[in-house]
Amino acid sequence: MNYRLYNALTNLAVAPAAAWVAAHPRHRPLLARFAPKTPRCPSPPFWVHACSVGELNTARPVIGALRDRFPDVPVVLTVSTTAAWRLASQDSAGAALAWFPIDQRGVVARFVDRLKPRALLLMETEIWPNVVRETERRGVPVVVANARLSDKHFARYRRYGDFFHGVFSRIAAVAAQHQTYAERFTALGVGSERVTITGNIKFDNVTMTIDSERLSALRSACGLGTHDPVIVFGSTRPGDEALAARCWNEWKDQFPGIRLVVAPRHLERLTEALAPFEEPVALRSALVAGNRSANERVLFVDTLGELVDFYALGTVAIVGGSFFPGVNGHNPLEPAALGVPTVFGPYMSNFIDPAEVLVAARGAVQVIDPQELARVVTALLRDPARREALASAARDAVEKNKGALARTMHVVDGVMLKCAQPA
């Protein structure tokens, strides 16, 4: 593949893609990505891109650090999903908000020409050929911050090696989470002198305490007793809810008062996610609206932005997307940093560094077989001392691994200093 073929394919895809988005009301806001508006900025801004909710949470401290370090430089944040747009509209860390352009050359070129950024920071994995090429061609450095490349993405990029080598070679700097990711960026064409292992910003950004009054109000609103054991199964993906239902059938009779909280990662799957449960299930949105039943012991979180609060109420937290192939895990630091005993499955390559750190510190439990989940959680529920040891070790591990944000800003400083030097 070459750019001519890639651009021909993207040109052909634009019209049917726009028609599909327009035909689905839930996705209709994404039409803005086909001709995104650019915010008015008094001077060339930093452009920070966060694809979805996970990247947005990591981008916020980066935006804060940029604003502290370069107080006279505006920051523009772009996102790609409706969920991220809704959350960023509530809290963009002081950045102006815009939609990320689809990777069609004309759309990207018009966006970059209007925005006139002084640098582009891509959060984690968002390597789009035209975005990188059209930005770099205008003399704007492209930095990948908190960079990672999953097994799936790495294999996909290597499949079209010559084409993507031309894309990756245009990246000015990579601030990689982990040695494995650093080696992958180098293998794909980023010069080794431009790749720095900075660690994972999620260690810096993770919430470690939540206001007790807020948690008390949430507990009361959901009918959770002060001493009731609560299992929180967060960021569930296909297969996880069926696993949760099987485990629940073992727990509900063994532990009086036990409650199960399930938080699907994507709310459009809610009907599918509810299907494995044969008993009445409460919805968080219904509780917010004042509709409540005293009989429901399973609660589904069908609202945005509340998972961390629910984790904080947990006796044990289970991280979804990690028990079956294909997703490769979600962030285990969210519950672990709050001092909640945390369990995840064998597929954690998207969060390899946090998972390895927590397991090595004996601050989390990784189960190799999903069939072992019910037994492992049962043992934790019966062993308060083990839960306390896990919680303490996890919090210590998080504290010891902070500092990635400062190291990432050092990489940005170097890129901006190089850009300021005369050729």
Side-chain angles (χ1 to χ4, degrees), residues 233 239-251 254 318 322-325 343-347 365-379:
F233 204 142
D240 288 339
E241 295 88 10
L243 174 61
R246 290 197 300 272
C247 292
W248 174 245
N249 288 334
E250 296 190 32
W251 296 327
Q254 294 186 55
I318 304 168
S322 65
F323 293 94
F324 306 100
V343 180
F344 45 81
Y347 300 100
V365 179
Q366 185 169 30
V367 299
I368 303 305
D369 186 339
Q371 302 305 318
E372 291 294 301
L373 180 61
R375 181 190 62 78
V376 167
V377 172
T378 297

Side-chain angles (χ1 to χ4, degrees), residues 316 336 339-343 358 361-365 380 383-396:
V316 177
V340 179
T342 299
V343 180
L358 290 174
R362 298 185 178 180
V365 179
L380 287 174
D383 192 344
R386 176 87 191 286
R387 297 201 305 270
E388 181 59 33
L390 282 168
S392 178
R395 291 171 68 87
D396 287 347

Side-chain angles (χ1 to χ4, degrees), residues 40-384:
R40 291 179 177 270
C41 297
S43 61
F46 284 109
W47 173 13
V48 177
H49 175 58
C51 175
S52 192
V53 172
E55 293 85 359
L56 172 61
N57 290 333
T58 306
R60 287 186 180 125
V62 172
I63 292 169
L66 287 171
R67 296 182 69 208
D68 289 343
R69 224 174 193 87
F70 306 95
D72 298 325
V73 180
V75 181
V76 172
L77 168 68
T78 57
V79 297
S80 299
T81 69
T82 53
W85 181 271
R86 288 196 296 271
L87 288 180
S89 298
Q90 299 169 15
D91 178 12
S92 64
L97 182 60
W99 283 102
F100 187 65
I102 62 166
D103 202 50
Q104 194 267 347
R105 183 179 179 183
V107 174
V108 172
R110 286 189 291 274
F111 184 85
V112 177
D113 285 340
R114 289 196 300 264
L115 188 63
K116 294 180 170 59
R118 67 181 64 209
L120 167 59
L121 276 70
L122 299 170
M123 301 305 304
E124 299 199 0
T125 315
E126 285 294 288
I127 314 297
W128 289 97
N130 276 320
V131 167
V132 172
R133 187 171 189 249
E134 295 301 314
T135 303
E136 190 270 344
R137 284 179 66 188
R138 287 157 174 77
V140 177
V142 178
V143 178
V144 187
N146 213 47
R148 65 183 177 91
L149 278 176
S150 67
D151 297 345
K152 180 173 69 175
H153 280 94
F154 183 52
R156 184 180 300 162
Y157 291 136
R158 290 193 73 175
R159 190 177 305 132
Y160 304 100
D162 291 343
F163 174 67
F164 278 104
H165 187 278
V167 177
F168 279 80
S169 65
R170 291 176 179 268
I171 295 173
V174 172
Q177 295 179 19
H178 190 273
Q179 177 70 35
T180 299
Y181 299 147
E183 292 171 355
R184 289 177 176 180
F185 275 93
T186 300
L188 290 170
V190 184
S192 58
E193 74 283 358
R194 288 179 277 141
V195 179
T196 305
I197 300 171
T198 53
N200 195 326
I201 292 172
K202 286 181 169 64
F203 282 102
D204 296 78
N205 187 41
V206 70
T207 299
M208 300 195 73
T209 58
I210 296 179
D211 180 73
S212 59
E213 291 185 6
R214 185 165 117 195
L215 291 181
S216 179
L218 180 62
R219 184 183 291 275
S220 176
C222 296
L224 304 175
T226 305
H227 301 293
D228 291 344
V230 178
I231 307 299
V232 183
F233 204 142
S235 295
T236 58
R237 302 292 284 267
D240 288 339
E241 295 88 10
L243 174 61
R246 290 197 300 272
C247 292
W248 174 245
N249 288 334
E250 296 190 32
W251 296 327
K252 63 183 180 181
D253 295 327
Q254 294 186 55
F255 301 96
I258 192 171
R259 299 291 295 273
L260 174 65
V261 176
V262 181
R265 180 69 173 184
H266 297 124
L267 295 182
E268 61 266 25
R269 292 187 53 251
L270 184 60
T271 300
E272 171 194 338
L274 289 166
F277 289 87
E278 299 176 351
E279 62 190 89
V281 171
L283 298 180
R284 171 61 175 152
S285 60
L287 298 182
V288 171
N291 301 320
R292 178 175 175 177
S293 168
N295 299 323
E296 296 145 344
R297 298 172 66 189
V298 178
L299 170 65
F300 266 67
V301 181
D302 61 339
T303 52
L304 289 173
E306 291 194 301
L307 176 57
V308 172
D309 287 359
F310 276 101
Y311 272 145
L313 297 179
T315 308
V316 177
I318 304 168
V319 179
S322 65
F323 293 94
F324 306 100
V327 176
N328 294 318
H330 290 293
N331 189 0
L333 298 177
E334 291 178 337
L338 291 165
V340 179
T342 299
V343 180
F344 45 81
Y347 300 100
M348 287 293 290
S349 61
N350 280 348
F351 292 87
I352 185 171
D353 197 27
E356 287 181 352
V357 166
L358 290 174
V359 171
R362 298 185 178 180
V365 179
Q366 185 169 30
V367 299
I368 303 305
D369 186 339
Q371 302 305 318
E372 291 294 301
L373 180 61
R375 181 190 62 78
V376 167
V377 172
T378 297
L380 287 174
L381 291 173
R382 297 189 185 282
D383 192 344

